[in-house]
């Protein structure tokens, strides 16, 4: 269970309002969203410079909504054994479905979601297979049951365009450096 709250994060101005609208409300009130015919987001991308609190925001949302929280680091997903990365992703999504409302947080999303074709002529087949599995999982789960995937990256420009399509990580929140008051 997460114990971090929004008050623990300095400098959350507009970002806090966006987080509440895009993530907190659908997790706390999924039935209301269904009644109104609103599709909650499947994925929300937090992006900005290193050290600005993207991971803290994800943990705070889980604590504030009392949602099950699964966190994984992008490079940890990539396995040296063929097929293990896809299996691990399936297990993470199955666990979230069993424990909804839930947040799946993928830190350093660019390690998995780097644009295809940028890895050199041969590419990295295991990473590309893992990216494909992530896209399949994003398309395959029912987000009306209170599951949201949050991703964090310092370099959103390197992400594969397929990740940013509608119904995937189509909602984005810039987490910039806090101002002087936020730093205090």
């Amino acid at each position: 269970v997460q114990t971090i709250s929004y008050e623990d994060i300095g400098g959350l101005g507009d970002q806090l309002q966006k987080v509440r609208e895009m993530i907190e409300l659908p997790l706390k009130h999924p039935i209301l969203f269904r009644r109104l015919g609103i599709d909650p987001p499947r994925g929300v991308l937090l992006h900005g410079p290193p050290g600005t609190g993207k991971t803290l925001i994800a943990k705070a949302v889980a604590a504030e909504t009392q949602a099950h929280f699964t966190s994984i680091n992008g490079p940890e997903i990539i396995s040296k054994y063929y097929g293990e990365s896809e299996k691990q992703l399936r297990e993470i999504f199955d666990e979230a479905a069993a424990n909804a409302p839930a947040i799946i947080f993928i830190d350093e999303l660019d390690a998995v979601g780097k644009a295809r074709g940028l890895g050199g002529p041969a590419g990295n087949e295991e990473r590309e297979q893992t990216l494909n599995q992530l896209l399949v999982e994003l398309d395959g789960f029912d987000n009306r049951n209170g599951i949201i995937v949050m991703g964090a990256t310092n370099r959103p420009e390197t992400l594969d365009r397929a990740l940013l399509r509608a119904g995937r990580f189509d909602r984005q929140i810039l987490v910039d450096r806090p101002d002087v008051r936020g730093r205090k």
Side-chain angles (χ1 to χ4, degrees):
V1 176
Q2 296 297 322
T3 58
I4 296 171
S5 69
Y6 295 135
E7 288 78 36
D8 296 327
I9 307 168
L12 276 182
D14 295 338
Q15 295 96 341
L16 181 57
Q17 185 63 29
K18 290 178 183 177
V19 163
R20 284 193 166 138
E21 289 171 2
M22 282 191 250
I23 305 165
E24 190 176 311
L25 285 174
L27 286 174
K28 281 186 170 178
H29 309 288
I31 295 170
L32 175 65
F33 270 68
R34 273 185 264 169
R35 273 195 205 137
L36 295 173
I38 300 171
D39 280 333
R42 288 177 191 262
V44 176
L45 180 66
L46 304 173
H47 63 92
T52 54
K54 296 178 289 290
T55 303
L56 280 175
I57 289 172
K59 289 179 179 179
V61 171
E64 297 280 342
T65 60
Q66 298 177 354
H68 178 76
F69 185 73
T70 301
S71 177
I72 189 152
N73 196 309
E76 291 174 1
I77 296 173
I78 306 296
S79 173
K80 61 183 176 180
Y81 301 109
Y82 190 77
E84 286 297 313
S85 303
E86 297 89 42
K87 179 182 174 192
Q88 184 178 10
L89 274 175
R90 282 190 299 274
E91 289 172 355
I92 289 170
F93 277 82
D94 288 345
E95 177 186 337
N99 295 296
I103 295 172
I104 299 171
F105 179 65
I106 305 172
D107 201 3
E108 298 182 46
L109 180 64
D110 49 291
V112 175
K114 188 182 293 183
R116 290 171 272 203
L118 294 180
N124 180 338
E125 190 167 325
E126 180 67 12
R127 185 187 56 76
E128 289 184 11
Q129 290 296 325
T130 305
L131 172 59
N132 289 337
Q133 184 63 41
L134 178 58
L135 295 172
V136 166
E137 294 295 336
L138 282 168
D139 290 343
F141 76 91
D142 185 0
N143 60 334
R144 293 173 297 172
N145 293 332
I147 301 170
I148 293 182
V149 182
M150 295 178 72
T153 183
N154 302 330
R155 305 176 325 171
E157 69 278 357
T158 64
L159 293 176
D160 195 277
R161 291 183 10 209
L163 270 175
L164 305 176
R165 286 191 196 140
R168 294 176 178 163
F169 287 100
D170 55 349
R171 313 280 172 85
Q172 298 184 19
I173 300 174
L174 172 63
V175 183
D176 212 351
R177 294 179 179 94
D179 59 12
V180 173
R181 217 173 349 159
R183 279 182 250 158
K184 285 182 182 179

